[in-house]
Amino acid sequence: MKPRLHVIGAGLAGLAAAWAACRAGTQVVLYESTGQAGGRCRSFTDPLLNRMIDNGSHLVLGINTSVLKLGQSVGATLSPLPPALDFLDMADGRRWRVGPFNLPVGWGEILAALMPHGDKSVAQTLGQTKGFRHFWNPLCLAVLNTRAEQASATVMARVLRALLKAGPAGFQGYAFPKGLSADLVEPILNQLRRNGALIRFHHRLTAISQHRLTFGQCIENIEDGDKVVLALPPWIIDSVLASGYCLPTETIANLHFLLPLPVSLPGPLGLVGARSHWLFVRGDIASVTISAAALPIDAAEIWGEIAPVLACPSALPPHRVIVEKRATLRHDAQSLTRRPGPTTPLPGVFLAGDWLASPWPCTLESAVSSGLTAARLALGRDDLRFS
Ligand SMILES: Cc1cc2nc3c(=O)[nH]c(=O)nc-3n(C[C@H](O)[C@H](O)[C@H](O)COP(=O)(O)OP(=O)(O)OC[C@H]3O[C@@H](n4cnc5c(N)ncnc54)[C@H](O)[C@@H]3O)c2cc1C
């Protein structure tokens, strides 16, 4: 039998590993515990709203080259956002725009943000600056999903350096106009199927040894020459490998409101001085993102914030609240040093996932690049690429 690559977990890391191996001619078997691929990046039909919604609004930047190349290789749809992002201060109604050529902070602050900061937090390094409220704090929440008092200034500096190095193309934002599943996940699955990959939903890995994968009652033998990529969250890796990673996580809350009247919002609107952080409109759904969200979330309170912005009546419309309690790692200085590499004590078994050691915070980019790395290691093929 031809050696196979078993990929466990069909989030973006697992999909990337599977696709990288599949397009290189390897027989891939992809296993997923749920009935759907995409993991933390997925769409579903909400019965209450009777609309297809995403678990959370996702954006990708031009610096996320692994995601863009993966997307291109499968025919995904990533549509460019307006070149600058609009912001609104809910306290005083002030509006401003942030783009590669109009950053609302001076070079002194940018240089301070770019410096190496060791274990310091974003609040310790930038909390006293003029631009903290209107730029550094929203940037920190959006990029690191961690409150500035805890977020690592070193990781934020890394992202900022990558942005400045890449220039305007790196700042360019992209969204998924028809939704995460239709625009990103389904095109990858279609290519995998077309290229002979076997996809097994409702397969929850419960144990692994050198020669066997156990999915509850179902056993899959790992034959000689087969390799395995575990594209699973850290708490599942802890349970099957007794690895003890136990990394702290942060919540992201998304609220989707069925709009009572037509509203046009061409790109995401950043909100400052409110519980809501980002407002998106797609069709007749307005979606609010709250990063590093403190619970509970009161939908009426959030609608009360955004209804005037959208010029909508104050009566609370039908809505759905989605709280992803383990949306990303908490990007503080301590947990970052604990993000492991892709190898495991089991020969031929590798890890993938956004939470592994990476120059990037937990994002689609770190997930996809970790999947590519794991496929390269598993197949011993440094040349695997998406383009
Ligand atoms: C609300 C929200 C908003 C976000 N916004 C952005 C954004 O704007 N931009 C951005 O770049 N990133 C964003 N992210 C982060 C991004 O979604 C993640 O970094 C990425 O999806 C992680 O992919 P992954 O494959 O590493 O993990 P996951 O997506 O968690 O994939 C793991 C998969 O393994 C499966 N699984 C779990 N246990 C088992 C088991 N025992 N056996 C088999 N399968 C199992 C899961 O069901 C899942 O499908 C956001 C995340 C959330 C939650």
Side-chain angles (χ1 to χ4, degrees):
M1 195 199 275
K2 198 174 157 192
R4 296 169 298 173
L5 179 68
H6 304 270
V7 179
I8 330 290
L12 260 294
L15 290 169
W19 175 231
C22 194
R23 73 199 302 255
T26 301
Q27 173 66 61
V28 169
V29 192
L30 175 63
Y31 309 83
E32 163 61 39
S33 60
T34 69
Q36 181 182 4
R40 278 169 280 157
C41 169
R42 67 188 185 283
S43 316
F44 62 96
T45 302
D46 184 282
L48 179 76
L49 304 178
N50 194 23
R51 296 288 184 281
M52 181 69 79
I53 55 173
D54 292 338
N55 68 313
S57 306
H58 278 60
L59 295 185
V60 167
L61 292 175
I63 47 171
N64 300 150
T65 51
S66 305
V67 182
L68 295 176
K69 284 182 187 161
L70 166 72
Q72 219 169 20
S73 72
V74 295
T77 307
L78 283 93
S79 73
L81 292 168
L85 292 174
D86 288 322
F87 281 81
L88 167 65
D89 191 330
M90 302 285 279
D92 57 13
R94 185 181 146 199
R95 284 181 183 266
W96 66 100
R97 197 159 261 193
V98 176
F101 299 113
N102 50 340
L103 296 179
V105 287
W107 279 106
E109 287 187 23
I110 293 173
L111 286 176
L114 289 170
M115 292 292 178
H117 292 295
D119 285 352
K120 285 196 180 147
S121 72
V122 171
Q124 282 170 326
T125 54
L126 296 163
Q128 301 307 315
T129 58
K130 232 171 109 192
F132 182 73
R133 177 181 167 88
H134 290 109
F135 185 65
W136 300 117
N137 193 42
L139 182 72
C140 171
L141 286 165
V143 171
L144 302 186
N145 188 36
T146 304
R147 288 185 307 110
E149 295 73 30
Q150 295 176 305
S152 159
T154 299
V155 183
M156 183 135 118
R158 228 185 265 154
V159 176
L160 200 62
R161 271 198 293 275
L163 271 171
L164 293 176
K165 200 169 148 207
F171 274 83
Q172 177 62 55
Y174 298 86
F176 302 92
K178 291 197 296 295
L180 295 167
S181 293
D183 286 336
L184 182 61
V185 176
E186 287 300 331
I188 306 173
L189 284 177
N190 290 342
Q191 286 293 350
L192 286 172
R193 289 191 181 106
R194 241 174 249 146
N195 286 274
L198 303 173
I199 302 172
R200 299 191 176 149
F201 290 114
H202 305 294
H203 275 61
R204 177 178 298 278
L205 185 77
T206 47
I208 178 170
S209 65
Q210 200 179 330
H211 300 292
R212 156 186 293 201
L213 297 164
T214 306
F215 302 92
Q217 302 299 313
C218 171
I219 306 274
E220 185 81 46
N221 289 325
I222 304 173
E223 309 291 349
D224 284 350
D226 284 5
K227 298 285 167 18
V228 177
V229 171
L230 300 176
L232 300 167
W235 50 94
I236 305 292
I237 296 298
D238 284 347
S239 76
V240 294
L241 288 180
S243 41
Y245 292 129
C246 190
L247 294 157
T249 54
E250 284 288 350
T251 300
I252 300 181
N254 269 264
L255 295 92
H256 302 276
F257 299 95
L258 190 61
L259 286 166
L261 44 85
V263 170
S264 157
L265 193 68
L269 176 66
L271 301 171
V272 168
R275 275 201 87 189
S276 314
H277 293 150
W278 290 95
L279 174 59
F280 303 78
V281 172
R282 193 164 81 203
D284 57 2
I285 298 286
S287 303
V288 170
T289 300
I290 307 175
S291 302
L295 302 178
I297 305 285
D298 178 1
E301 178 193 356
I302 302 303
W303 179 251
E305 286 184 345
I306 64 160
V309 177
L310 298 170
C312 280
S314 59
L316 181 62
H319 57 273
R320 171 69 61 194
V321 181
I322 303 173
V323 176
E324 294 269 9
K325 284 200 178 153
R326 299 196 275 203
T328 67
L329 292 187
R330 176 177 304 148
H331 296 101
D332 59 18
Q334 293 71 37
S335 26
L336 291 175
T337 56
R338 292 166 50 210
R339 286 170 81 176
T343 53
T344 73
L346 292 176
V349 177
F350 300 90
L351 301 180
D354 64 346
W355 57 282
L356 295 180
S358 162
W360 303 102
C362 296
T363 49
L364 295 177
E365 181 65 15
S366 60
V368 169
S369 53
S370 79
L372 181 58
T373 301
R376 284 177 179 164
L377 288 168
L379 305 189
R381 294 265 314 260
D382 270 358
D383 60 324
L384 295 190
R385 305 257 178 291
F386 293 127
S387 57

